[in-house]
Every structure is written in structure tokens, then in C-alpha cells.
Amino acid sequence: GPDEGSQYRSAIFPTTAQQRTVATAYIAQLGTAHVFPAPVVTRVEEYKGFYPAEAYHQNYLELHPDAPYIAFNDLPKVAGLKQRFPSLYRSDAVLWREAHS
């Protein structure tokens, strides 16, 4: 997708030492196997708690399905997940508000 740069980097926030070990080992395994053309830059960081994003970011796809970013970047990924994992796909969205009430 178009989101590149350190502000978009992926990170894993393990809550146990075992999770940290597994994540670190897997990232190293991917690097050793040269699965991707560049090194995996996902960082394993200390978990300091969860903070929801601002309200205008919540349920963005549901509220803005025709937004160009959603239409060109997200909906094709959702369609790919549906095709690849049909038994796990659910068509009804789990909205942030419902999941946290």
C-alpha cells in the first residue's frame, strides 16, 4: 500500500516473555530464509497499554466505504482475505463501539 515510513511501521507488543521470544525468533527466521526482498522491519517493543485511536479513525471503512483510500487500498485486501480464508471471513463488521460497550 501507499503507507510507508516509520510512522506506519508495524510493531508487536508482547505481553509475556514467551511471546517476545516467539516474535523475535520468527522475525529472525524470516530474515534468514530471505522470504522478503528486504529485511523485516517489524519491531518488537515493550507493551505499555492500549490506547484507542481518535474517534474519527474508528470504524472508518464502515463510515467511508467510498473513500478513495478505502476503495483502492483496503477493499481489495478484504476481498483477498475473504477468498483466501472463506471459513474465517464474516461479512458483518465488528464495530469499535460494539466491541467496547
Side-chain angles (χ1 to χ4, degrees):
D3 300 328
E4 294 184 19
S6 60
Q7 72 273 29
Y8 296 108
R9 74 177 187 275
S10 60
I12 299 171
F13 300 93
T15 58
T16 66
Q18 181 183 18
Q19 289 175 350
R20 177 176 291 282
T21 299
V22 169
T24 303
Y26 189 61
I27 291 168
Q29 181 182 9
L30 291 170
T32 301
H34 302 288
V35 173
F36 301 104
V40 174
V41 296
T42 300
R43 295 172 56 170
V44 181
E45 299 185 1
E46 180 183 351
Y47 176 77
K48 296 179 182 176
F50 176 78
Y51 304 94
E54 297 85 357
Y56 66 89
H57 286 298
Q58 304 300 336
N59 308 319
Y60 194 82
L61 185 144
E62 289 292 316
L63 296 173
H64 307 281
D66 298 324
Y69 184 94
I70 296 293
F72 293 114
N73 296 290
D74 292 345
L75 291 180
K77 293 175 187 175
V78 171
L81 288 170
K82 181 179 179 180
Q83 182 178 14
R84 188 163 182 189
F85 303 104
S87 65
L88 299 175
Y89 181 82
R90 57 186 290 175
S91 58
D92 56 321
V94 176
L95 302 180
W96 186 85
R97 200 168 24 266
E98 295 166 3
H100 294 87
S101 49

